Amino acid sequence: MDTAATPTHCPYCALQCGMNVTPLPQGGVEVTERPDFPVNRGALCGKGRTAAEVLSPAVRLTSPLVRSGGRLVPASWEEALDRIAGALGSVRERHGADALGVFGGGGLTNEKAYALGKFARVVLGTSQIDYNGRFCMSSAAAAGTRAFGLDRGLPFPLEDVPRTGCVILVGSNLAETMPPSLRFFSELRENGGTLIVVDPRRTRTAEQADLHLAPRPGTDLALALGLLHLVVAEGRTDEEFIRERTTGWPEARAAVMGHWPEYVERITGVSVPQLREAVRLFCAPESAMVLTARGPEQQSKGTDTVGAWINLCLATGRAGRPLSGYGCLTGQGNGQGGREHGQKADQLPGYRRLDDPAARRHVAEVWGVDPDALPGPGRSAYELLDALGGDVRALLLMGSNPVVSAPRAAHVEERLRSLDFLAVCDVVRSETAELADVVLPVTQWAEETGTTTSLEGRVLLRRRAVTAPAGVRSDLEVLHALAARLGVEKGFPADPEEVFEELRRASAGGPADYSGITYRRLAEENGLFWPCPAQPATEEGGPSRDASRSEDAGPSGNGGPAHVEPPAHPGTPRLFLDRFATGDGRARFVAVAHRAGAEEPDAEYPLLLTTGRVVAQYQSGAQTRRVPELNAAAPGPFVELHPRLAARLGAAEGDPVAVVSRRGRAVAPARITSAIRPDTVFMPFHWPGEGRANTLTNPALDPVSRMPEFKSCAVRLEALGPGDRGGRAPGPVSGG
């Protein structure tokens, strides 16, 4: 057995922390620190340290399963693949190509995301493909594209954060969701900078802040507009920057003037003195940043909300300059790359628009198909899930667990059950896999080579460190086999580097241009920031490094002879310093105004529910709930409520509490804390069953991004006696 350590990256969040993975002689795998990677500098959270435990055959799938007699039973790969191909072909023949759905995941590598999008459009011929990254940062992506002409999570490396003057962190509890990143914000304060945290809860992150603003859930838009109103009123705008590098300011300025401080205080609950202090801290230094996460983004007005924070940056000249700008903290491990390369309903590889004729021609040429044969844009993620069992009769799902993670989850579970056929590819037997007709066991992070793109826009190489158990195949092998069974013999290689080489060609010239990136360069340079075109950085014209497959140093190469290459593009760590990615190079202000959430409290549902994560679990918990150390730290769901609210309800710490919305009911123990607003309750969303938070959440969609409103919905609480799950409501309990 080869027991050498392999440098690779964590399978969880978008930090993609560097780590070393070593097979142990006695069996098992060891994860150790990798100090050379600049994002985490060796630090790992509990999830990263224990990531190897999910590699164990004891907790993961190792054999295909097929439904027989109402149960999932082991089957051969040939039988399982034949069933999937037969069912997809039959449904297509009877109901048409758009009766086939494909649902991907933000944890898939770039190669898998690319191949899955190509499979949907070329092999199945369906427009019905989207992925769970729609639930992650789609509002930020839409707002960033609208303002800057380009969406990349962070337009600068995390290493810039400690060197700026002020950061406003909106709706992120990164101390729990991505703990190794907290050091950048601690260093910011050590260097004399200030941190402002916007969150309805006093989280572990908010405790680190110089100023904590705690708005009502769903009012981040009003808060941003109120801050910009004060910037204008106090004469803090950067008129030279606005004049030379932006358009649309008169309309945006007019829209913001109705959001005077006292009005914003009434909407948000944030006091006028706090609003003024936030503006002072943000505008005092020469440089500053605004970083958003799911809090402001997972709203039915998320695109406009993020747009308002971008307007604040533009009006103060805090964008397109060193150590300044707007950025989004991507959540899922490959949430960025996952949407850049084709598994999103409206996009083709390279972040090209599916409805752009030139983009269709370029990608179709790479794929060897007629551009007119490519289907148009399909439904967004929730809309696709909502259509299951109706227009969409069969679904191929990879790397997602919507039974737990989707809004209005009980309804989504019902739609999944109504399908004619469901096939799931996953590492573990998730709650969604339990509903499938066929389940395929696939390789995971340490068992395969592939690339991911971190929250910084840094493309990284995850290397295979261990051999997968017998009976497990990669997602690329699955797509290769299914394509062949459905009549497409070529174009779906199982080798990830071969897929990446095609991805490079497909992305060339697009907004997310990877054409200058190779596996060898990623290994040698510790990742590269896109855009990284195939042209040399300093030469006029001419080719860059050889765009052919790297045979001499890639992880799957054969040690061929070295060759001399011209200078290669170095990648783009920092965007927009010279111009924005719009036609005229100017950033766009967008005039927005506050509007209420899709569902406001009323007499029947007088409270607001917001949801989020805890440090020991990840996303739907399908993997982390199988790790004993993480389960011991976070064994189950809870309902966080303020002491005044608990007293009105008559609930003590640990008592079961029912949270009821218009969509359903969840039950979990009370966790009483003054760190939350009295009019708000919080639930983490990692668990299935009666404590499933997403049973309650609202699928109201943002009109631009199609993001559901996870972060705010109206609820009531019911006190429960010991052992009582039926509920005995003493009448509506308000947060007064």
Side-chain angles (χ1 to χ4, degrees):
M1 173 189 289
D2 183 1
T3 58
T6 299
T8 188
H9 295 272
C10 179
Y12 292 116
C13 82
L15 286 181
Q16 290 295 280
C17 291
M19 58 171 57
N20 289 313
V21 175
T22 308
L24 300 175
Q26 66 272 27
V29 176
E30 181 181 42
V31 170
T32 54
E33 298 176 352
R34 183 182 157 198
D36 69 306
F37 188 61
V39 173
N40 63 310
R41 307 175 200 164
L44 295 171
C45 73
K47 295 186 290 291
R49 284 189 299 97
T50 60
E53 294 195 29
V54 187
L55 298 170
S56 169
V59 300
R60 51 91 58 83
L61 290 165
T62 57
S63 170
L65 303 173
V66 300
R67 191 161 297 280
S68 177
R71 297 186 305 113
L72 288 171
V73 299
S76 70
W77 270 95
E78 294 306 304
E79 178 186 357
L81 291 167
D82 285 346
R83 282 207 190 189
I84 296 173
L88 296 178
S90 176
V91 168
R92 181 172 59 182
E93 184 177 346
R94 286 183 287 121
H95 302 288
D98 273 356
L100 303 177
V102 176
F103 199 87
L108 301 181
T109 62
N110 290 318
E111 293 80 359
K112 295 179 190 178
Y114 173 86
L116 188 62
K118 181 181 178 183
F119 178 85
R121 295 177 174 110
V122 172
V123 178
L124 300 182
T126 182
S127 67
Q128 301 303 300
I129 175 172
D130 211 79
Y131 83 128
N132 64 15
R134 178 78 66 171
F135 301 156
C136 179
M137 55 177 289
S138 57
S139 292
T145 301
R146 194 164 69 177
F148 307 130
L150 183 70
D151 155 48
R152 194 181 83 184
L154 295 181
F156 40 71
L158 274 170
E159 65 187 37
D160 284 2
V161 168
R163 301 191 293 141
T164 193
C166 178
V167 172
I168 301 181
L169 186 62
V170 190
S172 171
N173 183 15
L174 53 80
E176 298 205 44
T177 59
M178 43 183 65
S181 69
L182 187 62
R183 68 171 59 189
F184 293 101
F185 298 86
S186 299
E187 291 171 8
L188 164 73
R189 299 183 69 209
E190 291 167 5
N191 292 340
T194 55
L195 175 62
I196 302 169
V197 171
V198 179
D199 199 300
R201 305 163 61 224
R202 187 164 183 81
T203 62
R204 289 174 54 191
T205 306
E207 289 174 353
Q208 309 298 314
D210 297 281
L211 178 64
H212 173 214
L213 308 179
R216 291 175 66 247
T219 64
D220 306 270
L221 175 54
L223 177 63
L225 293 167
L227 296 179
L228 184 50
H229 177 104
L230 284 171
V231 165
V232 174
E234 295 175 4
R236 297 179 183 269
T237 56
D238 187 330
E239 295 298 326
E240 181 181 359
F241 179 88
I242 292 170
R243 183 175 58 255
E244 294 183 356
R245 299 202 59 191
T246 72
T247 62
W249 173 235
E251 295 81 5
R253 184 183 186 280
V256 83
M257 295 318 293
H259 299 79
W260 59 92
E262 291 77 12
Y263 172 62
V264 170
E265 180 183 69
R266 289 199 301 272
I267 294 170
T268 65
V270 177
S271 70
V272 172
Q274 284 186 309
L275 296 172
R276 294 188 183 279
E277 178 65 1
V279 168
R280 185 189 70 81
L281 292 174
F282 185 67
C283 294
E286 291 185 2
S287 59
M289 301 172 178
V290 172
L291 305 179
T292 67
R294 306 303 78 74
E297 298 163 18
Q298 288 182 324
Q299 298 183 28
S300 61
K301 52 183 182 293
T303 302
D304 283 355
T305 299
V306 174
W309 289 104
I310 291 174
N311 285 351
L312 178 66
C313 292
L314 295 176
T316 54
R318 266 84 170 137
R321 287 175 169 170
L323 306 181
S324 289
Y326 163 77
C328 167
L329 299 174
T330 309
Q332 294 190 81
N334 198 33
Q336 181 73 47
R339 71 180 176 281
E340 292 170 2
H341 296 300
Q343 64 174 334
K344 197 169 172 223
D346 55 355
Q347 285 172 345
L348 288 168
Y351 225 147
R352 288 180 158 90
R353 291 182 57 89
L354 187 54
D355 58 3
D356 176 359
R360 292 169 67 88
R361 285 194 300 272
H362 175 88
V363 174
E365 182 177 358
V366 173
W367 288 352
V369 299
D370 185 340
D372 293 337
L374 295 178
R379 293 177 172 93
S380 71
Y382 179 77
E383 291 167 303
L384 174 56
L385 294 171
D386 189 41
L388 301 181
D391 293 342
V392 179
R393 309 302 294 265
L395 182 70
L396 173 63
L397 185 146
M398 282 188 170
S400 187
N401 189 19
V403 166
V404 179
S405 63
R408 198 185 173 196
H411 172 72
V412 169
E413 180 177 348
E414 179 184 294
R415 302 321 308 152
L416 285 161
R417 292 182 185 275
S418 73
L419 282 165
D420 294 352
F421 183 81
L422 172 63
V424 171
C425 301
D426 210 333
V427 172
V428 296
R429 192 161 165 164
S430 70
E431 288 73 23
T432 304
E434 291 291 349
L435 306 182
D437 297 285
V438 178
V439 181
L440 299 181
V442 292
T443 51
Q444 52 180 310
W445 62 289
E447 300 163 349
E448 60 188 13
T449 293
T451 61
T452 62
T453 306
S454 75
L455 80 170
E456 301 177 299
R458 189 194 303 251
V459 184
L460 303 165
L461 184 65
R462 275 197 204 155
R463 300 167 176 87
R464 184 170 71 89
V466 299
T467 301
V472 174
R473 299 184 185 180
S474 75
D475 295 280
L476 294 179
E477 290 176 298
V478 169
L479 294 175
H480 172 83
L482 290 177
R485 281 167 168 79
L486 290 165
V488 180
E489 298 285 346
K490 296 182 179 180
F492 290 88
D495 177 68
E497 190 172 3
E498 190 174 345
V499 176
F500 188 79
E501 290 303 313
E502 184 177 298
L503 181 156
R504 292 175 61 204
R505 297 195 302 275
S507 73
D513 191 335
Y514 283 34
S515 61
I517 301 174
T518 64
Y519 272 29
R520 188 181 71 177
R521 289 193 68 191
L522 293 178
E524 292 175 348
E525 301 177 43
N526 224 349
L528 286 161
F529 292 85
W530 72 260
C532 184
Q535 291 78 24
T538 56
E539 302 288 333
E540 291 188 6
S544 70
R545 69 171 54 242
D546 187 356
S548 66
R549 181 183 171 88
S550 57
E551 293 293 345
D552 52 332
S556 56
N558 299 313
H563 55 276
V564 177
E565 297 175 340
H569 192 286
T572 314
R574 295 168 182 86
L575 297 171
F576 312 139
L577 296 182
D578 299 316
R579 68 188 309 276
F580 295 97
T582 56
D584 59 6
R586 293 171 174 263
R588 310 281 194 250
F589 281 99
V590 177
V592 295
H594 170 69
R595 60 184 187 272
E599 190 174 77
E600 291 293 316
D602 57 21
E604 187 177 3
Y605 299 96
L607 303 167
L608 285 171
L609 168 72
T610 192
T611 63
R613 287 165 48 186
V614 297
V615 66
Q617 301 289 354
Y618 179 73
Q619 304 298 72
S620 74
Q623 292 169 284
T624 51
R625 284 187 274 114
R626 287 166 167 80
V627 178
E629 179 182 327
L630 301 179
N631 262 347
F638 56 86
V639 180
E640 190 175 276
L641 61 160
H642 191 274
R644 293 210 304 265
L645 181 56
R648 293 167 68 90
L649 184 67
E653 180 77 17
D655 283 355
V657 172
V659 186
V660 184
S661 78
R662 290 178 173 86
R663 288 152 296 282
R665 183 172 184 273
V667 177
R671 182 173 293 183
I672 301 172
T673 173
S674 58
I676 193 168
R677 294 174 54 96
D679 57 4
T680 301
V681 295
F682 167 83
M683 290 187 72
F685 54 70
H686 309 291
W687 289 273
E690 69 173 5
R692 180 174 60 185
N694 278 320
T695 297
L696 308 166
T697 48
N698 190 352
L701 301 180
D702 180 283
V704 179
S705 68
R706 316 308 287 169
M707 167 73 84
E709 191 150 61
F710 286 98
K711 288 303 182 197
S712 176
C713 71
V715 298
R716 68 169 184 265
L717 299 184
E718 297 175 354
L720 302 176
D724 179 11
R725 291 295 186 267
R728 45 183 182 83
V733 178
S734 73

